[in-house]
Amino acid sequence: MTDSASAPYQLARDAAAAIAEASGVPAHDLALVLGSGWAGAADLLGETVWQADATSIPGFRPPAVAGHVGTLRSIRVEGTGARALVLGARTHYYEGAGVDAVVHGVRTAAATGARTMVLTNGCGGINPDWAPGTPVLIRDQINFTGATPLVGANFVDLTDLYTPALRQIAHEVDPSLDEGVYMQFSGPSYETPAEVQMAKVIGADLVGMSTTLEAIAAREAGLDVLGISLVTNLAAGISGEALSHEEVLQAGRDAGPRISRLLAETVRRITDGAA
Ligand code: 8IG
């Protein structure tokens, strides 16, 4: 790798070292990114042993969106003793800071020793059966950004990008969970109804502005990936109503207890035997 291509990986190693130093936790087993509507969902995971403003760690930028919390937390998972690193906010592609900034949290998680990346988001749903507040497991993705975190002839296999064994665990925790294909648009505007119809025709069930670039970076780092979307609104043109950020925040509040339990129990089962 060239010096400029390796710099973001070095920055992630620096961040992981800073987290180990500040937290006193030398390594983590699993990491989570909390998306829109998921801010409270990590509270049932276990005891928070360290927490800090993400901007105190190298490479992390302040969050750009109301409703996102820019906090890093180290949690000792209740029942298993595993160490979970919780990234309370993400850098979005639409912020224009570049793909390396978008995936810095994932690379940092990998550098802390994490073997599993749990990516959550709030998104629009194309299936009208998914009322706002419905969690949906991500089965596969369409990266429609035109960007990638990979540089050079790095032909990472994405056949089982969202690890089947982890999806199986989530299904065991909540047998009513549906699965869907998540499509990332660049944003920051929501889609037009015509773009939502295009997404549907090419096989998407969920539309959002995050996650796919992070999943690719996680896979490149050798992590297992679990993705869970919270449908916070029906995608444009599906319901006939206009989209509002307030609706997104409200759906997150309403879904809180269900997604908190889902996340906590799934993480517990994933990390059983990890610590
Ligand atoms: I929350 O309907 C949320 N994020 N692209 N479309 C896109 N992103 C979203 C949406 C949506 N809802």
Side-chain angles (χ1 to χ4, degrees), residues 36-37 65-66 122-124 132 188-191 209 231-237 239-253:
S36 305
V65 184
C123 71
S189 59
Y190 293 120
E191 297 71 34
M209 303 179 198
V231 174
T232 56
N233 55 275
L234 289 179
S239 79
E241 303 288 317
L243 274 54
S244 80
H245 189 58
E246 183 47 43
E247 167 189 40
V248 167
L249 299 178
Q250 187 58 45
R253 287 191 283 268

Short mmCIF file of all heavy atoms in Angstrom, two decimals, residues 36-37 65-66 122-124 132 188-191 209 231-237 239-253:
data_model
loop_
_atom_site.label_atom_id
_atom_site.label_comp_id
_atom_site.label_asym_id
_atom_site.label_seq_id
_atom_site.Cartn_x
_atom_site.Cartn_y
_atom_site.Cartn_z
N SER A 36 -29.82 6.32 13.60
CA SER A 36 -31.01 7.10 13.97
C SER A 36 -32.03 6.21 14.65
O SER A 36 -32.39 5.15 14.14
CB SER A 36 -31.67 7.70 12.73
OG SER A 36 -30.76 8.47 12.01
N GLY A 37 -32.49 6.64 15.81
CA GLY A 37 -33.51 5.90 16.54
C GLY A 37 -32.95 4.87 17.49
O GLY A 37 -33.68 4.30 18.29
N VAL A 65 -25.82 15.56 12.90
CA VAL A 65 -27.27 15.46 12.90
C VAL A 65 -27.84 15.49 14.31
O VAL A 65 -27.33 14.80 15.19
CB VAL A 65 -27.72 14.13 12.23
CG1 VAL A 65 -29.23 14.06 12.11
CG2 VAL A 65 -27.07 13.98 10.88
N ALA A 66 -28.90 16.26 14.53
CA ALA A 66 -29.63 16.21 15.80
C ALA A 66 -30.20 14.81 15.98
O ALA A 66 -30.69 14.21 15.03
CB ALA A 66 -30.75 17.24 15.80
N GLY A 122 -31.41 3.99 10.98
CA GLY A 122 -32.81 4.32 10.71
C GLY A 122 -32.95 4.48 9.21
O GLY A 122 -32.04 4.98 8.56
N CYS A 123 -34.06 4.06 8.64
CA CYS A 123 -34.16 4.09 7.18
C CYS A 123 -35.61 4.19 6.75
O CYS A 123 -36.53 4.13 7.56
CB CYS A 123 -33.51 2.84 6.59
SG CYS A 123 -34.47 1.35 6.90
N GLY A 124 -35.79 4.32 5.44
CA GLY A 124 -37.12 4.29 4.86
C GLY A 124 -37.46 2.88 4.41
O GLY A 124 -36.60 2.15 3.94
N PRO A 132 -43.75 2.33 10.65
CA PRO A 132 -42.64 3.02 11.32
C PRO A 132 -42.44 2.43 12.72
O PRO A 132 -43.41 2.21 13.45
CB PRO A 132 -43.12 4.47 11.38
CG PRO A 132 -43.98 4.61 10.16
CD PRO A 132 -44.69 3.28 10.03
N PRO A 188 -27.89 14.15 0.91
CA PRO A 188 -28.73 14.15 2.11
C PRO A 188 -30.21 14.36 1.85
O PRO A 188 -31.01 14.26 2.78
CB PRO A 188 -28.16 15.31 2.93
CG PRO A 188 -27.66 16.26 1.89
CD PRO A 188 -27.17 15.42 0.76
N SER A 189 -30.61 14.62 0.61
CA SER A 189 -32.05 14.65 0.37
C SER A 189 -32.58 13.22 0.50
O SER A 189 -31.85 12.26 0.24
CB SER A 189 -32.36 15.18 -1.03
OG SER A 189 -31.75 14.37 -2.01
N TYR A 190 -33.82 13.09 0.92
CA TYR A 190 -34.49 11.80 0.80
C TYR A 190 -34.74 11.55 -0.69
O TYR A 190 -34.60 12.45 -1.53
CB TYR A 190 -35.81 11.81 1.58
CG TYR A 190 -35.65 11.90 3.08
CD1 TYR A 190 -36.20 12.97 3.80
CD2 TYR A 190 -34.96 10.92 3.79
CE1 TYR A 190 -36.07 13.04 5.18
CE2 TYR A 190 -34.82 11.00 5.17
CZ TYR A 190 -35.37 12.06 5.86
OH TYR A 190 -35.24 12.14 7.23
N GLU A 191 -35.12 10.32 -1.04
CA GLU A 191 -35.35 9.97 -2.43
C GLU A 191 -36.61 10.67 -2.98
O GLU A 191 -37.53 11.01 -2.24
CB GLU A 191 -35.57 8.45 -2.58
CG GLU A 191 -34.39 7.61 -2.19
CD GLU A 191 -34.13 7.60 -0.69
OE1 GLU A 191 -35.12 7.66 0.09
OE2 GLU A 191 -32.95 7.57 -0.30
N MET A 209 -29.03 6.17 4.15
CA MET A 209 -27.86 6.99 3.79
C MET A 209 -26.60 6.54 4.52
O MET A 209 -25.67 7.33 4.70
CB MET A 209 -28.13 8.47 4.12
CG MET A 209 -29.37 9.03 3.45
SD MET A 209 -29.64 10.74 3.91
CE MET A 209 -31.37 10.92 3.46
N VAL A 231 -37.05 0.73 10.51
CA VAL A 231 -37.86 1.50 9.56
C VAL A 231 -38.51 2.64 10.34
O VAL A 231 -39.33 2.40 11.22
CB VAL A 231 -38.93 0.61 8.90
CG1 VAL A 231 -39.85 1.47 8.03
CG2 VAL A 231 -38.28 -0.47 8.06
N THR A 232 -38.08 3.85 10.05
CA THR A 232 -38.62 4.99 10.80
C THR A 232 -39.67 5.73 9.99
O THR A 232 -40.41 6.54 10.54
CB THR A 232 -37.50 5.98 11.17
OG1 THR A 232 -36.85 6.38 9.98
CG2 THR A 232 -36.50 5.34 12.12
N ASN A 233 -39.72 5.46 8.70
CA ASN A 233 -40.71 6.09 7.84
C ASN A 233 -40.90 5.22 6.61
O ASN A 233 -40.00 4.46 6.24
CB ASN A 233 -40.24 7.49 7.40
CG ASN A 233 -38.88 7.46 6.72
OD1 ASN A 233 -37.84 7.48 7.38
ND2 ASN A 233 -38.87 7.37 5.40
N LEU A 234 -42.07 5.31 5.99
CA LEU A 234 -42.21 4.67 4.69
C LEU A 234 -41.48 5.54 3.68
O LEU A 234 -41.51 6.77 3.76
CB LEU A 234 -43.70 4.54 4.32
CG LEU A 234 -44.46 3.49 5.15
CD1 LEU A 234 -45.93 3.45 4.74
CD2 LEU A 234 -43.84 2.11 4.96
N ALA A 235 -40.78 4.90 2.75
CA ALA A 235 -39.99 5.63 1.75
C ALA A 235 -40.91 6.53 0.92
O ALA A 235 -42.12 6.28 0.81
CB ALA A 235 -39.24 4.65 0.86
N ALA A 236 -40.31 7.56 0.33
CA ALA A 236 -41.09 8.58 -0.37
C ALA A 236 -42.02 7.96 -1.42
O ALA A 236 -41.62 7.11 -2.20
CB ALA A 236 -40.14 9.57 -1.04
N GLY A 237 -43.27 8.39 -1.40
CA GLY A 237 -44.23 7.93 -2.39
C GLY A 237 -44.93 6.64 -2.02
O GLY A 237 -45.91 6.26 -2.67
N SER A 239 -46.39 5.94 1.04
CA SER A 239 -47.59 6.23 1.83
C SER A 239 -48.36 7.44 1.32
O SER A 239 -49.51 7.63 1.66
CB SER A 239 -47.22 6.48 3.29
OG SER A 239 -46.71 7.80 3.42
N GLY A 240 -47.72 8.29 0.52
CA GLY A 240 -48.35 9.52 0.09
C GLY A 240 -48.10 10.70 1.02
O GLY A 240 -48.36 11.84 0.67
N GLU A 241 -47.57 10.41 2.23
CA GLU A 241 -47.26 11.49 3.17
C GLU A 241 -45.85 12.04 2.90
O GLU A 241 -45.00 11.33 2.38
CB GLU A 241 -47.29 10.97 4.61
CG GLU A 241 -48.60 10.33 5.05
CD GLU A 241 -49.70 11.35 5.23
OE1 GLU A 241 -49.41 12.41 5.82
OE2 GLU A 241 -50.84 11.09 4.78
N ALA A 242 -45.61 13.27 3.32
CA ALA A 242 -44.25 13.83 3.25
C ALA A 242 -43.40 13.26 4.38
O ALA A 242 -43.93 12.78 5.39
CB ALA A 242 -44.29 15.35 3.34
N LEU A 243 -42.06 13.31 4.20
CA LEU A 243 -41.14 12.76 5.21
C LEU A 243 -40.66 13.87 6.14
O LEU A 243 -40.38 14.97 5.70
CB LEU A 243 -39.91 12.15 4.52
CG LEU A 243 -40.02 10.69 4.06
CD1 LEU A 243 -41.23 10.47 3.17
CD2 LEU A 243 -38.75 10.27 3.34
N SER A 244 -40.57 13.56 7.44
CA SER A 244 -40.05 14.56 8.37
C SER A 244 -39.06 13.92 9.34
O SER A 244 -39.19 12.75 9.71
CB SER A 244 -41.19 15.20 9.17
OG SER A 244 -41.59 14.37 10.24
N HIS A 245 -38.05 14.71 9.73
CA HIS A 245 -37.06 14.20 10.67
C HIS A 245 -37.70 13.94 12.04
O HIS A 245 -37.29 13.04 12.76
CB HIS A 245 -35.89 15.18 10.79
CG HIS A 245 -34.72 14.64 11.56
ND1 HIS A 245 -34.05 13.49 11.19
CD2 HIS A 245 -34.10 15.08 12.68
CE1 HIS A 245 -33.08 13.25 12.05
NE2 HIS A 245 -33.09 14.20 12.97
N GLU A 246 -38.72 14.72 12.39
CA GLU A 246 -39.42 14.52 13.67
C GLU A 246 -40.07 13.14 13.72
O GLU A 246 -40.03 12.45 14.75
CB GLU A 246 -40.47 15.63 13.88
CG GLU A 246 -41.20 15.57 15.21
CD GLU A 246 -40.27 15.37 16.42
OE1 GLU A 246 -39.20 16.01 16.48
OE2 GLU A 246 -40.62 14.56 17.30
N GLU A 247 -40.66 12.71 12.58
CA GLU A 247 -41.27 11.38 12.49
C GLU A 247 -40.22 10.29 12.76
O GLU A 247 -40.47 9.29 13.44
CB GLU A 247 -41.86 11.22 11.08
CG GLU A 247 -42.25 9.81 10.68
CD GLU A 247 -42.62 9.69 9.18
OE1 GLU A 247 -41.94 10.31 8.33
OE2 GLU A 247 -43.56 8.96 8.89
N VAL A 248 -39.02 10.52 12.23
CA VAL A 248 -37.91 9.58 12.41
C VAL A 248 -37.57 9.44 13.91
O VAL A 248 -37.43 8.34 14.44
CB VAL A 248 -36.68 10.09 11.62
CG1 VAL A 248 -35.42 9.33 12.02
CG2 VAL A 248 -36.93 9.97 10.13
N LEU A 249 -37.46 10.58 14.58
CA LEU A 249 -37.09 10.56 16.00
C LEU A 249 -38.20 9.90 16.82
O LEU A 249 -37.94 9.13 17.75
CB LEU A 249 -36.83 11.98 16.50
CG LEU A 249 -35.66 12.72 15.80
CD1 LEU A 249 -35.52 14.15 16.35
CD2 LEU A 249 -34.35 11.97 15.96
N GLN A 250 -39.46 10.18 16.47
CA GLN A 250 -40.58 9.62 17.22
C GLN A 250 -40.64 8.10 17.05
O GLN A 250 -40.89 7.36 18.01
CB GLN A 250 -41.91 10.26 16.76
CG GLN A 250 -43.11 9.87 17.61
CD GLN A 250 -42.93 10.22 19.10
OE1 GLN A 250 -42.48 11.31 19.43
NE2 GLN A 250 -43.24 9.28 19.98
N ALA A 251 -40.42 7.61 15.84
CA ALA A 251 -40.44 6.16 15.60
C ALA A 251 -39.37 5.47 16.43
O ALA A 251 -39.58 4.38 16.96
CB ALA A 251 -40.22 5.87 14.11
N GLY A 252 -38.23 6.13 16.57
CA GLY A 252 -37.15 5.58 17.40
C GLY A 252 -37.58 5.49 18.85
O GLY A 252 -37.33 4.48 19.52
N ARG A 253 -38.22 6.54 19.34
CA ARG A 253 -38.68 6.53 20.74
C ARG A 253 -39.71 5.41 20.95
O ARG A 253 -39.66 4.67 21.92
CB ARG A 253 -39.28 7.89 21.11
CG ARG A 253 -38.22 8.99 21.29
CD ARG A 253 -38.81 10.24 21.93
NE ARG A 253 -39.59 11.04 20.99
CZ ARG A 253 -39.10 12.04 20.26
NH1 ARG A 253 -37.82 12.37 20.36
NH2 ARG A 253 -39.86 12.72 19.43
#
